[in-house]
């Protein structure tokens, strides 16, 4: 028992590190703030407003961007009355391409038989090209979670229309209502993506503004269903940063059931945990991810196997897409491809082998980089490199796939001017794409214009990869590490942050700036 004269004091609680103000650290952000008073002052009081936090500002800006994105797609759900007095979508005169409002959500409502009341994904089938030599039985072509997402939205649409028939709700064509309902949930998915990105690097919440207002969001958030996967991938990285490996694996596994790419994020975690001696934490993540993916997929794989396997069959038999690097080379050189001319539904075997092999080689190079770099790379840096490598080497780069890179790029290289320039450039590829699809006979653009834009986009992404690699070898040039006042930490690394190296490969000294 202490004497009355002894004074006891509570342990000192360290003050949280101040937030990074981009207007002070980023030249572009500083220039943007000049019309409203310039960069934040050195004595300004920050973080004290009762409501307007950086996250809430980012979410508000995201809502505005999502509204603009919806208005960009709205022309494609306009209706007209035909000569028979029936209401139809107004897709006359190539409207989806001229107005650049095309969205997969609209045609897939009928193509995937979602408009049929008794249809169920992976069970309902139909015959494509019926009556021809190329006739083929088809099923839902998307992974399980995305397929169920579409089906659930179709059921909500049918319920909405039933209530609207009694006059209680506004109505329209089924497909228009379906698009709006789907867009609402996709918007929520992107808001979650912004929230998770903001919370992953606590000292840099303002960087999430780039995710919120990205030009790619305006163009592509409602082009397909990818915002669903980005939400799970971003929250998985957030959970890892908060040292919750099992939850991170669960979220990544669910995301992989929506789109394949969240699965790729386990690769960087593997090599970084190997280097830091945190394999137990990685095992928890991998086990939770595998368990989540199996729980969603196994029932369909067992009882609706043929329909479930459609996604894998279609991706195997799919030829090189117009916007793949292989098609670019083929167009400008006259090369006929690794497999030569292919017939309808013929599998491009060698293209699959080469594209898959190139991705594996890139992953091996990234793994070497992770083990041989003078300082352990940050998780976001390697995740960006892996996903970018997949997109560049893959035989398919659908335009909405670029959304995958947005949160990863913001976490990996938060340089506002550079990232906005890439996002603007990537989003502008949509214009020549639409006018190429319109066709030269309808005053569209030649294929070369579109493929030229694709080439510039690929080079821009490759340039970002070079910058990431440079900052891995020169950690003193990494803005995240400079702001964290440590060249070895990783604010998004969770258990990796501050952990000593255990396994390295020919480690070298950092390269000076």
């Amino acid at each position: 028992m202490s004497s009355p004269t002894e004074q006891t004091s509570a342990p000192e609680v360290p003050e949280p590190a101040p937030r990074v103000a981009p207007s002070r650290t980023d030249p572009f952000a500083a220039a943007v703030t000049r019309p409203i008073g310039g960069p934040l002052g050195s004595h300004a009081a920050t973080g004290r407003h009762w409501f307007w936090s950086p996250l809430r500002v980012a979410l508000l800006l995201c809502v505005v961007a999502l509204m603009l994105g919806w208005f960009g797609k709205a022309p494609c759900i306009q209706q007209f009355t035909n000569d028979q007095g029936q209401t139809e979508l107004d897709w006359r005169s190539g409207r989806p391409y001229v107005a650049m409002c095309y969205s997969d959500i609209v045609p897939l409502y009928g193509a995937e038989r979602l408009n049929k009341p008794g249809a169920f994904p992976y069970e309902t089938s139909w015959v494509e090209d019926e009556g021809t030599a190329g006739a083929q039985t088809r099923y839902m072509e998307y992974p399980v979670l995305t397929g169920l997402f579409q089906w659930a939205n179709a059921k909500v649409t049918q319920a909405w229309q039933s209530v609207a028939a009694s006059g209680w709700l506004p109505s329209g064509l089924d497909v228009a209502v379906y698009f709006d309902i789907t867009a609402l949930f996709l918007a929520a998915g992107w808001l979650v993506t912004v929230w998770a990105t903001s919370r992953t690097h606590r000292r840099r919440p303002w960087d999430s503004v780039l995710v919120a207002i990205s030009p790619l969001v305006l163009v592509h958030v409602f082009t397909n269903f990818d915002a669903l996967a980005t939400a799970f991938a971003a929250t998985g990285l957030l959970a890892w940063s908060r040292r919750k490996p099992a939850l991170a694996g669960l979220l990544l596994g669910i995301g992989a059931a929506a789109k394949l790419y969240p699965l790729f994020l386990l690769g960087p975690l593997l090599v970084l945990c190997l280097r830091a001696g945190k394999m137990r934490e990685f095992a928890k993540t991998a086990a939770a991810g595998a368990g989540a993916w199996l729980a969603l997929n196994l029932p369909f794989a067992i009882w609706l196997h043929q329909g479930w396997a459609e996604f894998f069959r279609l991706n195997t038999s799919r030829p090189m897409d117009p916007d793949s690097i292989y098609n670019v080379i083929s167009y400008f050189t006259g090369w006929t491809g690794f497999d030569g001319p292919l017939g309808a539904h013929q599998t491009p075997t060698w293209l699959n082998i080469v594209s898959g092999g190139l991705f594996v080689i890139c992953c091996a190079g990234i793994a070497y980089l992770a083990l041989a770099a003078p300082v352990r790379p940050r998780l976001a840096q390697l995740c960006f490199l892996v996903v970018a490598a997949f997109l560049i080497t893959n035989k398919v780069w659908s335009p909405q796939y670029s959304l995958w890179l947005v949160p990863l790029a913001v976490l990996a290289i938060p340089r506002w001017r550079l990232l906005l320039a890439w996002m603007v450039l990537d989003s502008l590829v949509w214009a020549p794409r639409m006018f190429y699809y319109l066709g030269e006979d309808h005053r569209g653009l030649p294929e070369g214009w579109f493929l030229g834009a694709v080439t510039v986009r690929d080079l821009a992404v490759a340039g970002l990869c070079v910058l990431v690699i440079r900052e891995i070898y020169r950690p003193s040039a990494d803005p995240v590490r400079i702001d964290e006042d440590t060249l070895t930490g990783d604010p998004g690394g969770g258990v990796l942050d501050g952990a000593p190296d255990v396994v390295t490969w020919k480690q070298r000294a950092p390269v000076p700036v």
Side-chain angles (χ1 to χ4, degrees), residues 363-383:
C363 288
I366 295 169
Y368 171 80
L369 176 67
L371 296 174
V375 174
R376 189 168 60 245
R378 292 188 291 111
L379 175 60
Q381 291 175 318
L382 295 191
C383 288

Side-chain angles (χ1 to χ4, degrees), residues 83-364:
D83 296 336
Q84 289 75 40
Q86 298 172 327
T87 304
E88 296 181 10
L89 280 181
D90 189 2
W91 279 30
R92 297 170 295 179
S93 304
R95 185 184 188 120
Y97 310 119
V98 175
M100 295 187 288
C101 62
Y102 176 82
S103 169
D104 287 334
I105 299 169
V106 175
L108 286 176
Y109 181 64
E112 301 285 1
R113 303 308 189 262
L114 298 167
N115 57 339
K116 305 296 183 183
F120 185 75
Y122 316 106
E123 180 182 31
T124 301
S125 65
W126 61 94
V127 178
E128 190 177 74
D129 300 328
E130 189 173 4
T132 68
Q136 193 174 48
T137 301
R138 291 290 310 278
Y139 296 85
M140 166 65 71
E141 65 184 66
Y142 283 86
V144 165
L145 189 58
T146 302
L148 293 177
F149 175 71
Q150 296 176 64
W151 173 77
N153 290 336
K155 290 302 176 185
V156 174
T157 299
Q158 293 165 16
W160 180 285
Q161 295 292 68
S162 297
V163 177
S166 62
W168 288 94
L169 291 173
S171 183
L173 284 174
D174 287 0
V175 67
V177 175
Y178 170 76
F179 174 84
D180 287 338
I181 290 171
T182 303
L184 177 66
F185 290 113
L186 292 174
W190 195 257
L191 286 168
V192 170
T193 303
V194 172
W195 168 79
T197 305
S198 175
R199 302 288 289 171
T200 298
H201 287 182
R202 296 188 181 186
R203 288 194 63 199
R204 303 189 61 95
W206 284 108
D207 289 338
S208 61
V209 169
L210 293 174
V211 184
I213 64 170
S214 169
L216 286 166
V217 175
L218 273 66
V219 178
H220 292 310
V221 71
F222 303 130
T223 297
N224 203 275
F225 309 99
D226 294 69
L228 193 64
T230 64
F232 284 107
T235 51
L237 292 178
L238 172 61
W240 178 267
S241 73
R242 299 298 174 86
R243 299 173 184 259
K244 298 178 180 178
L247 178 59
L250 177 68
L251 292 167
L252 293 177
I254 296 173
K259 288 282 183 176
L260 188 61
Y261 94 93
L263 183 66
F264 300 153
L265 306 187
L266 292 176
L269 279 174
L270 171 61
V271 291
L272 291 176
C273 287
L274 176 63
R275 177 164 176 168
K278 299 292 182 179
M279 293 303 295
R280 178 178 298 179
E281 286 78 3
F282 173 77
K284 292 180 182 178
T285 303
W293 188 88
L294 286 172
L296 289 168
N297 281 268
L298 207 54
F300 294 89
I302 294 174
W303 288 293
L304 299 172
H305 178 75
Q306 190 171 356
W308 172 82
E310 178 76 353
F311 166 74
F312 302 97
R313 184 200 66 78
L314 187 67
N315 279 276
T316 301
S317 61
R318 194 171 181 175
M320 55 186 176
D321 259 22
D323 45 5
S324 69
I325 189 64
Y326 309 103
N327 189 53
V328 170
I329 297 172
S330 175
Y331 176 82
F332 287 111
T333 66
W335 173 59
T336 59
F338 296 107
D339 299 272
L342 295 172
H345 308 304
Q346 190 174 352
T347 300
T349 304
W350 280 107
L351 176 61
N352 292 337
I353 294 173
V354 171
S355 61
L358 288 175
F359 179 54
V360 169
I361 292 171
C362 289
C363 288

Side-chain angles (χ1 to χ4, degrees), residues 383-441:
C383 288
F384 176 83
L385 290 177
V386 167
V387 176
F390 173 76
L391 293 177
I392 292 173
T393 61
N394 195 30
K395 64 179 181 178
V396 178
W397 187 334
S398 295
Q400 69 275 3
Y401 288 1
S402 295
L403 288 173
W404 304 353
L405 291 174
V406 172
L408 298 178
V410 169
L411 293 174
I413 34 175
R415 298 178 181 273
W416 287 40
R417 188 201 309 267
L418 186 67
L419 291 186
L420 279 174
W422 157 63
M423 293 174 190
V424 168
L425 189 153
D426 201 327
S427 63
L428 288 177
V429 176
W430 186 242
R433 174 192 296 275
M434 291 292 95
F435 280 91
Y436 161 58
Y437 287 165
L438 182 63
E440 293 185 63
D441 294 340

